[in-house]
Amino acid sequence: MFKALFLAAILAAAAGPASAQSIFDGFGEPEDPAEAETYRWKHAIVRQMRDHTPRLNLGHGRAVVNFCVDGAGRIVKGKVDKYSGDAQALIAASVVSSLKLPPPPPAFKAKLRGDCYWFQVSFWFQ
């Protein structure tokens, strides 16, 4: 526990930018009401990732996280696939694990059929 707090204090002391890349920017909201609701849900997830991403100076790098959201909005699976360094992977994984997601809209849940939906997000560190 002490080691985790010590690592968190060191990372917090090194203030520099890190950002989560939106996977939905530039497409615009669909006209279909069910698709628009799903679009807004996905954007809420991206906003939450941006809000939870700390501004740390870990050097240049990238971390790619894949995670699965179930019909209740819980993250049930996750994996850091590509990363530049252990610190970047740790921060990216902790951001994703800290998300408190709302349940997906009803139209989206109908498509899941008990499964989960996979997201991929890239974190860029500068």
Side-chain angles (χ1 to χ4, degrees), residues 5-60:
L5 289 173
F6 182 72
L7 177 62
I10 289 174
L11 293 175
S19 62
Q21 174 188 355
S22 172
I23 52 180
F24 306 108
D25 282 345
F27 293 110
E29 189 169 320
E31 291 182 19
D32 178 40
E35 288 181 25
E37 190 176 28
T38 298
Y39 179 86
R40 287 189 296 273
W41 175 70
K42 290 177 180 180
H43 268 280
I45 293 171
V46 171
R47 265 192 310 277
Q48 202 175 122
M49 276 191 270
R50 286 182 181 161
D51 292 345
H52 283 110
T53 303
R55 300 187 58 77
L56 302 171
N57 185 8
L58 301 175
H60 291 286

Side-chain angles (χ1 to χ4, degrees), residues 62-67 78-84 89 92 118-121:
R62 176 181 172 208
V64 178
V65 180
N66 289 302
F67 62 98
K79 182 179 178 186
V80 180
D81 282 330
K82 301 174 188 170
Y83 53 93
S84 301
W118 283 94
F119 285 94
Q120 182 179 67
V121 64

Side-chain angles (χ1 to χ4, degrees), residues 68-114:
C68 189
V69 177
D70 71 1
R74 296 178 301 230
I75 297 173
V76 293
K77 300 174 189 172
K79 182 179 178 186
V80 180
D81 282 330
K82 301 174 188 170
Y83 53 93
S84 301
D86 290 341
Q88 285 94 345
L90 177 66
I91 294 299
S94 66
V95 168
V96 170
S97 68
S98 73
L99 298 175
K100 303 288 185 232
L101 306 178
F108 188 77
K109 280 187 194 178
K111 294 178 187 177
L112 289 179
R113 298 183 187 170

